[in-house]
Amino acid sequence: MNRTLKRARTQDQKFFRRQQILEAAEQHFDEVGYEAFSMANLAKLAGVVKGTLYLYFKTREEVFLTLYNQSLSRWSETFLGSCKDKMSDRDYVSTLYTTAMADAHFVPLLARLEHVIEHNVSIESLIESKRHFISRVEHLAGAAAPILSLTPSQSLEMVKTMGVLLVGATRTDQGPSLQGEDIPEDVQALMDSFSSEHLFIKNACRIIQGIRTTTG
Amino acid sequence: MNRTLKRARTQDQKFFRRQQILEAAEQHFDEVGYEAFSMANLAKLAGVVKGTLYLYFKTREEVFLTLYNQSLSRWSETFLGSCKDKMSDRDYVSTLYTTAMADAHFVPLLARLEHVIEHNVSIESLIESKRHFISRVEHLAGAAAPILSLTPSQSLEMVKTMGVLLVGATRTDQGPSLQGEDIPEDVQALMDSFSSEHLFIKNACRIIQGIRTTTG
DNA sequence: ATGTTTAAATGACGTGCGGTCATTTAATAA
DNA sequence: TTATTAAATGACCGCACGTCATTTAAACAT
């Protein structure tokens, strides 16, 4: 944190302070995850007092929504940077999965977006977030069409569907850790059979195949 | 609630009181949903005091886990009761979707199972719930195999995958209501394009097709 | 250089949550 | 009728999010 900045007066300074809070929020999220994330601890980490946070974010969930928007941008850039001109369906979805899982914030926030986050943000922020989402989806779809030999509308449907599948498939990864607990064989076998990677890649390929054989 | 029962001494009476609490919990959940569900209000509805709840459930999430287990049983019975001897893929997944959405508790609780609920229950309850889940999945898979002309292992994979897809596809339904808000056209169009019914049915069919053409 | 104005920052505070536990008391056993 | 048991109670704890009257740093006017 910048010690010399005691008070933000100009728009630039306010933007800087907001970024300072967001950086602390990322760190706090890394350290404790979604459930244990608290505004009091965020304030300490950011070097401000709790009330100050509410000058820059209306609610706790507006912080999360901002982190989500950032992580969506970050991941989509990383993903597109990892794509080749031509890829097999399998390579494409595998790259998508790997880059998504590599981002510490993207999937956990995406998974809670509609259930929790969107329920406590202003409509303005919600609309802004949806618009941002649209632009990323269109960007991803535009890039995917030539890679996978899909029509534009097929590609758009594909990208939307990948999001749905990603959330569903990564659910099991979000359960409690169970490290050191002794889990009965049958239960352990069940959980192993829900490997998110396998679930996602296999079904993503099936869906792309299905989309490709559709007049879209 | 039974006014004559002041104190539950026998196991039967304790079971009855537990049921009484669970019925109030269902009602409370119907009325306010997941986020606004509170133990204090549950106690009032159940006609007991808050501390009493914790004689029957270790945590708030153990109440939710129990409601989830109940809703899984209830839905799977309803669903199987709606199935015919032979069905097209489309009819099968459409029936699955309709019956799942008709249950007010099943999808909302399923969506929060790993993210929230499982993080604050005892391991015993967790294992019990997983075992219950296994038995329902196997039951559903056994019933589906002849209906859809799948091998047993194909059918098992199909049922597991339907759960994943159901959670992903119904995400959009869990967002804030936005009744009466004026949403810009582009954002409204985006949300309309994520119709959970369309998403689920279309992709479920694609996945079943994919599974069927796999040696499994 | 000094006084005035502005709004960023503060932190004590309100409300409500999940969860605990010493105490009360209804039902059973002696 | 009395002693025992444990179900039920409700006051209490710590902590969360979010508010707002007050303080004060910085820009502006004189």
Side-chain angles (χ1 to χ4, degrees):
Chain A
M1 71 206 83
N2 191 336
R3 289 167 176 278
T4 66
L5 175 59
K6 292 267 182 195
R7 253 176 168 76
R9 303 280 295 203
T10 72
Q11 285 302 316
D12 276 5
Q13 285 172 328
K14 290 209 246 176
F15 178 82
F16 181 81
R17 174 129 298 171
R18 196 183 146 98
Q19 284 306 116
Q20 165 191 347
I21 293 171
L22 283 172
E23 279 166 32
E26 293 209 274
Q27 183 187 337
H28 188 34
F29 191 79
D30 285 337
E31 286 169 3
V32 304
Y34 190 96
E35 314 300 333
F37 187 106
S38 85
M39 293 298 267
N41 284 332
L42 171 57
K44 277 180 198 156
L45 259 171
V48 296
V49 101
K50 200 170 55 168
T52 305
L53 299 180
Y54 290 91
L55 300 175
Y56 294 89
F57 298 93
K58 290 197 191 67
T59 63
R60 178 177 112 112
E61 281 70 28
E62 295 234 348
V63 177
F64 285 133
L65 188 62
T66 308
L67 290 184
Y68 161 74
N69 290 332
Q70 284 187 356
S71 74
L72 175 60
S73 295
R74 192 173 53 224
W75 163 75
S76 65
E77 287 309 309
T78 304
F79 171 55
L80 288 177
S82 305
C83 283
K84 315 293 174 197
D85 288 355
K86 281 280 176 185
M87 299 171 86
S88 67
D89 291 359
R90 213 200 126 85
D91 282 350
Y92 180 84
V93 301
S94 175
T95 303
L96 192 160
Y97 176 83
T98 304
T99 51
M101 296 303 280
D103 192 297
H105 306 149
F106 182 48
V107 171
L109 290 168
L110 180 61
R112 288 164 176 91
L113 188 61
E114 284 89 350
H115 298 111
V116 192
I117 297 173
E118 289 186 353
H119 283 270
N120 200 20
V121 300
S122 65
I123 315 167
E124 296 77 46
S125 300
L126 181 60
I127 290 173
E128 179 200 344
S129 175
K130 293 289 184 193
R131 285 228 168 92
H132 178 247
F133 178 75
I134 294 172
S135 83
R136 301 321 286 192
V137 166
E138 288 174 349
H139 189 188
L140 289 164
I147 295 174
L148 299 177
S149 301
L150 296 172
T151 69
S153 81
Q154 284 175 335
S155 191
L156 192 62
E157 184 176 2
M158 185 275 294
V159 172
K160 288 180 179 178
T161 311
M162 289 302 105
V164 166
L165 190 60
L166 187 65
V167 170
T170 54
R171 270 205 320 147
T172 43
D173 302 326
Q174 311 283 327
S177 95
L178 304 177
Q179 276 287 351
E181 309 290 349
D182 55 291
I183 310 299
E185 264 186 51
D186 55 339
V187 175
Q188 190 61 54
L190 171 83
M191 296 175 69
D192 293 345
S193 78
F194 273 92
S195 148
S196 69
E197 181 166 5
H198 178 266
L199 263 180
F200 179 78
I201 293 177
K202 202 132 193 177
N203 289 297
C205 288
R206 287 167 179 156
I207 286 169
I208 294 179
Q209 269 302 328
I211 289 176
R212 190 176 278 114
T213 61
T214 299
T215 54
Chain B
M1 68 205 88
N2 191 337
R3 288 166 176 280
T4 66
L5 175 59
K6 292 268 182 195
R7 253 174 168 77
R9 305 280 295 199
T10 72
Q11 286 302 315
D12 277 4
Q13 285 172 329
K14 290 210 246 178
F15 178 82
F16 180 81
R17 173 128 302 171
R18 197 182 146 97
Q19 284 307 116
Q20 165 190 349
I21 293 171
L22 283 171
E23 278 165 34
E26 293 209 273
Q27 184 187 337
H28 188 34
F29 191 79
D30 285 336
E31 285 169 4
V32 304
Y34 190 95
E35 314 300 333
F37 186 105
S38 85
M39 294 297 267
N41 284 333
L42 171 56
K44 276 179 199 157
L45 259 171
V48 296
V49 101
K50 199 170 56 168
T52 305
L53 299 179
Y54 291 90
L55 300 174
Y56 294 89
F57 299 93
K58 289 197 191 70
T59 64
R60 173 184 188 253
E61 281 70 28
E62 296 234 348
V63 178
F64 285 133
L65 188 62
T66 309
L67 290 185
Y68 161 74
N69 290 332
Q70 285 186 355
S71 74
L72 174 60
S73 294
R74 191 173 52 223
W75 163 74
S76 65
E77 286 308 310
T78 303
F79 172 55
L80 288 177
S82 304
C83 283
K84 316 293 173 197
D85 288 354
K86 281 280 178 186
M87 298 171 86
S88 67
D89 291 359
R90 212 200 127 86
D91 283 349
Y92 180 84
V93 301
S94 175
T95 303
L96 191 160
Y97 176 83
T98 305
T99 51
M101 295 303 280
D103 192 298
H105 306 148
F106 182 47
V107 170
L109 290 167
L110 180 62
R112 288 162 175 92
L113 189 62
E114 284 90 350
H115 297 111
V116 191
I117 297 172
E118 289 186 354
H119 282 269
N120 200 19
V121 299
S122 65
I123 313 167
E124 297 77 45
S125 299
L126 181 60
I127 290 173
E128 180 200 343
S129 176
K130 293 288 185 193
R131 285 227 168 93
H132 178 246
F133 178 76
I134 294 173
S135 85
R136 300 322 286 194
V137 166
E138 288 174 348
H139 189 188
L140 289 165
I147 295 175
L148 299 176
S149 302
L150 296 172
T151 69
S153 81
Q154 284 175 335
S155 190
L156 191 63
E157 184 177 3
M158 185 275 294
V159 172
K160 287 180 178 178
T161 311
M162 289 303 104
V164 167
L165 190 60
L166 186 65
V167 170
T170 53
R171 269 203 321 144
T172 42
D173 303 326
Q174 311 283 327
S177 94
L178 305 178
Q179 276 288 351
E181 310 288 351
D182 55 290
I183 309 298
E185 263 186 53
D186 56 340
V187 175
Q188 189 60 55
L190 171 84
M191 298 176 69
D192 293 344
S193 78
F194 273 91
S195 148
S196 69
E197 182 166 5
H198 178 265
L199 264 179
F200 178 79
I201 292 178
K202 203 133 194 178
N203 289 296
C205 287
R206 287 166 179 157
I207 286 169
I208 294 179
Q209 269 302 328
I211 290 176
R212 190 176 278 116
T213 61
T214 301
T215 55

